[in-house]
Amino acid sequence: MTGFTLPPLVVDYDARWIDVDLRGDLGEWARKTAQDMLARSPGRHRGRDEKSLAALLETAGAMARQADDASIALLLYPSHQDGLKALVRFCPVDLAGREGEDAWDALLASLPAGEPPEVTKIGTAAGPCRRVRQPYAAGEESGSPVGERLGYIWVFPQYGAGVIMTTSFVDAMEAGRWRPALDALAAAAALEPAEEEVRPG
């Protein structure tokens, strides 16, 4: 039986994504990241632009850290015009003692309950993945807009573990617009090779 070990999952991403610091000083990270983002952005920016962006990043970073269970967190921030579109968290799950479909079912069962999800198998650099789309009411009143929860799940039996990548959109149209970016992010997830595999000779 394989005991649980944290899978060495890494993600390759483009300029639309911001890597959240999950361990260091959140305020310092937010200020430095805001400075770097504005320095790369065309046009002139005022000091209040930097403060506003830093505050947004710090709030999003605090949300990413809230449950203290993510190994990676990324923000989808395509441009200053688009603004912040999604917070994506990668969370490892202990699947020790589970194999095959039982492991996949355990991961699916750990996602929020609600409407029956649409599950699609996709290929990624890390191996087989299942994308889980689930509509939900983005409010408690009758006639509230329909949002979408989006999850990507991997099973790594060699580590006795799984990984869940999750985000959500309060607007289904926005979910449809940005889902390809999420698909591309999931497709780029990979397992780092073991140390002995990368030694020369």
Side-chain angles (χ1 to χ4, degrees):
M1 180 184 298
T2 303
F4 171 76
T5 304
L6 185 67
L9 191 74
V10 294
V11 188
D12 189 20
Y13 52 87
D14 59 28
R16 295 176 294 181
W17 296 94
I18 302 167
D19 184 18
V20 177
D21 183 348
L22 293 173
R23 301 288 177 263
D25 185 300
L26 192 58
E28 182 180 340
W29 164 80
R31 288 188 295 274
K32 185 177 186 311
T33 303
Q35 289 171 359
D36 292 345
M37 290 170 64
L38 292 176
R40 295 193 306 267
S41 177
R44 299 181 62 181
H45 303 282
R46 297 183 292 270
R48 63 184 173 189
D49 294 333
E50 183 182 312
K51 288 183 180 179
S52 176
L53 180 55
L56 174 68
L57 293 174
E58 187 169 359
T59 299
M63 291 175 63
R65 291 181 174 191
Q66 199 166 26
D68 197 30
D69 59 351
S71 57
I72 301 170
L74 298 167
L75 305 177
L76 177 57
Y77 194 99
S79 70
H80 294 304
Q81 291 72 33
D82 289 312
L84 179 60
K85 292 299 176 183
L87 163 62
V88 177
R89 302 169 72 251
F90 290 78
C91 300
V93 179
D94 187 344
L95 293 178
R98 295 179 180 272
E99 297 180 359
E101 284 302 314
D102 182 43
W104 289 103
D105 290 344
L107 281 183
L108 284 170
S110 69
L111 295 172
E115 296 292 324
E118 173 192 291
V119 181
T120 305
K121 295 181 180 180
I122 63 174
T124 75
C129 174
R130 297 185 186 182
R131 183 184 70 190
V132 184
R133 292 176 55 197
Q134 185 179 44
Y136 74 99
E140 297 182 2
E141 296 83 20
S142 176
S144 293
V146 175
E148 179 176 292
R149 295 190 185 98
L150 193 57
Y152 298 78
I153 61 177
W154 291 265
V155 170
F156 301 115
Q158 68 272 41
Y159 296 101
V163 171
I164 301 176
M165 165 186 154
T166 59
T167 192
S168 64
F169 295 89
V170 296
D171 182 280
M173 294 284 288
E174 283 288 281
R177 179 183 178 193
W178 298 109
R179 196 180 305 118
L182 275 295
D183 287 353
L185 185 68
L191 291 175
E192 286 187 317
E195 189 176 335
E196 58 270 17
E197 295 178 18
V198 297
R199 286 179 182 158

